[in-house]
Amino acid sequence: LYEDFNITNNDSFLDIGSGLGLMCFLMNKTYNFKNVYGCEINTVTYEVAMENKRRLNINNVVFTNKSIVDYEIPDSVNYMYYFNAIDKDYNEDFKLICNKINESYNKHKRDIIILFMYCHINDTIRNILKEYNFNLVKNGKDKYDYIIVKVGGS
């Protein structure tokens, strides 16, 4: 899904809710990101991700054991990924994540592309995107419903 974007070795990637680190490792191997970050609230899966990183001898993937709400998004991050793995009402989580991304954007203005996987577009989601001035780039379906959103103007 990132193939339509011109990812360079100056770009950085953040997986929100990185779990075992698999998406981080995939993005590190597939694209030439300068840095890859994973933010994971669950201590057990975070520790497994750290062990996977050690075994794979990967240096430019950084994992943090925190909630996204408490995480300071690095200024260099301009690609983000969030997979909604919890079968519950998505709207509140979506708003919290958008707020955190908006804080990061306002602190350091740059174009940010976010892939929200397993995200069903509804009026509430549309209103949240509008509230934060996020632009809907694509609304599609791969294995799961997803949306791609852009923050920034260029």
Side-chain angles (χ1 to χ4, degrees):
L1 294 173
Y2 287 99
E3 292 168 357
D4 293 340
F5 302 102
N6 185 26
I7 297 171
T8 72
N9 60 357
N10 291 319
D11 295 320
S12 294
F13 175 84
L14 169 64
D15 183 0
I16 301 167
S18 55
L20 304 175
L22 302 179
M23 179 58 81
C24 291
F25 301 136
L26 175 67
M27 296 306 278
N28 181 59
K29 182 177 172 131
T30 306
Y31 300 100
N32 194 23
F33 283 107
K34 181 176 185 176
N35 294 298
V36 174
Y37 301 94
C39 178
E40 174 56 47
I41 193 170
N42 184 293
T43 302
V44 174
T45 53
Y46 162 78
E47 288 173 358
V48 172
M50 292 298 290
E51 178 61 20
N52 290 339
K53 176 185 168 182
R54 186 192 63 75
R55 286 183 181 181
L56 294 168
N57 194 28
I58 296 174
N59 296 320
N60 70 326
V61 174
V62 177
F63 293 110
T64 303
N65 187 206
K66 287 185 178 181
S67 163
I68 188 61
V69 175
D70 300 320
Y71 180 69
E72 185 72 28
I73 297 172
D75 291 345
S76 64
V77 169
N78 55 343
Y79 286 89
M80 298 183 195
Y81 175 84
Y82 177 75
F83 183 90
N84 178 34
I86 301 167
D87 187 20
K88 65 173 188 149
D89 183 19
Y90 184 70
N91 297 339
E92 196 57 39
D93 286 347
F94 188 82
K95 184 163 184 153
L96 287 171
I97 292 166
C98 287
N99 185 58
K100 192 65 178 185
I101 294 167
N102 194 54
E103 285 175 8
S104 176
Y105 172 77
N106 286 330
K107 181 180 160 207
H108 178 77
K109 301 261 193 269
R110 75 251 189 223
D111 288 348
I112 304 172
I113 301 293
I114 311 116
L115 170 57
F116 291 99
M117 193 62 110
Y118 200 55
C119 179
H120 309 284
I121 280 286
N122 58 39
D123 288 341
T124 303
I125 297 295
R126 280 189 186 88
N127 288 336
I128 293 169
L129 292 175
K130 187 175 182 180
E131 176 183 343
Y132 289 105
N133 203 26
F134 290 8
N135 301 304
L136 181 63
V137 174
K138 188 172 187 180
N139 178 17
K141 184 170 182 81
D142 192 41
K143 184 176 180 180
Y144 303 99
D145 291 339
Y146 67 89
I147 62 171
I148 298 175
V149 173
K150 182 177 181 185
V151 180
S154 64

